[in-house]
Amino acid sequence: MEKKAKNTQEKNCYSPEELQEFKELILAKIAKAEKDLEMLQQAVAGSENDVSDTAPTFKTLEEGSNTLLKEENSKLAARQQKFIRDLRAALIRIENGTYGICQATGKLIPKERLMIVPHATMTVEAKNESKKRR
């Protein structure tokens, strides 16, 4: 009877094999995100379109367009940096044994969610509940 009760209990952590799978997924996402971040930073730093030989009216329009593009790229770069930071935090949680555990409920975050959003810290239900409180 005692064994049956243990088998029906909910799982409260992921196996070392599953954690390794998550780690590999996260490392791959970090590598891609860092490459994307580098491209965004290069776009912000450099301006490939030189407008020095255009008419003054067009030059003003071009400069405004370039400024807007740089601002958008800066926002995307900041978002990408946050994503990388969150992925690295997930790696730390893997190492300290808290990965995949909802910060709000203490329940295990479903594997399907973590495969899509490997840096998730809450179950969908807990996240929706926290949004309602705001």
Side-chain angles (χ1 to χ4, degrees):
M1 193 74 145
E2 195 175 307
K3 281 186 181 180
K4 192 173 186 179
K6 281 187 179 180
N7 288 339
T8 60
Q9 285 180 347
E10 281 189 34
K11 186 175 168 182
N12 62 2
C13 67
Y14 286 105
S15 70
E17 293 80 17
E18 289 170 312
L19 291 174
Q20 184 59 36
E21 183 181 356
F22 288 127
K23 185 175 184 176
E24 290 169 10
L25 174 68
I26 292 167
L27 288 171
K29 285 192 177 275
I30 288 173
K32 183 183 181 319
E34 286 176 337
K35 191 181 292 184
D36 292 346
L37 176 60
E38 185 178 330
M39 286 180 4
L40 286 167
Q41 288 173 330
Q42 287 174 356
V44 169
S47 176
E48 288 101 38
N49 298 331
D50 190 307
V51 292
S52 59
D53 61 342
T54 60
T57 304
F58 292 117
K59 185 174 182 180
T60 302
L61 292 173
E62 278 292 320
E63 286 174 349
S65 177
N66 283 342
T67 301
L68 182 62
L69 186 60
K70 281 187 176 191
E71 286 175 8
E72 289 299 316
N73 284 336
S74 283
K75 288 178 187 176
L76 289 172
R79 185 174 178 204
Q80 200 70 357
Q81 287 172 328
K82 181 184 180 305
F83 179 56
I84 292 167
R85 185 195 71 215
D86 291 347
L87 288 170
R88 288 192 174 130
L91 286 176
I92 292 168
R93 290 193 303 278
I94 287 174
E95 296 302 318
N96 69 22
T98 60
Y99 182 79
I101 299 169
C102 179
Q103 291 178 341
T105 65
K107 293 180 181 178
L108 203 60
I109 300 170
K111 186 172 183 177
E112 298 78 23
R113 174 164 168 71
L114 290 173
M115 294 302 286
I116 296 167
V117 186
H119 57 287
T121 59
M122 299 172 102
T123 62
V124 172
E125 298 79 16
K127 185 168 182 148
N128 289 339
E129 188 62 35
S130 74
K131 283 183 181 178
K132 286 180 188 177
R133 290 185 204 143
R134 289 184 194 169

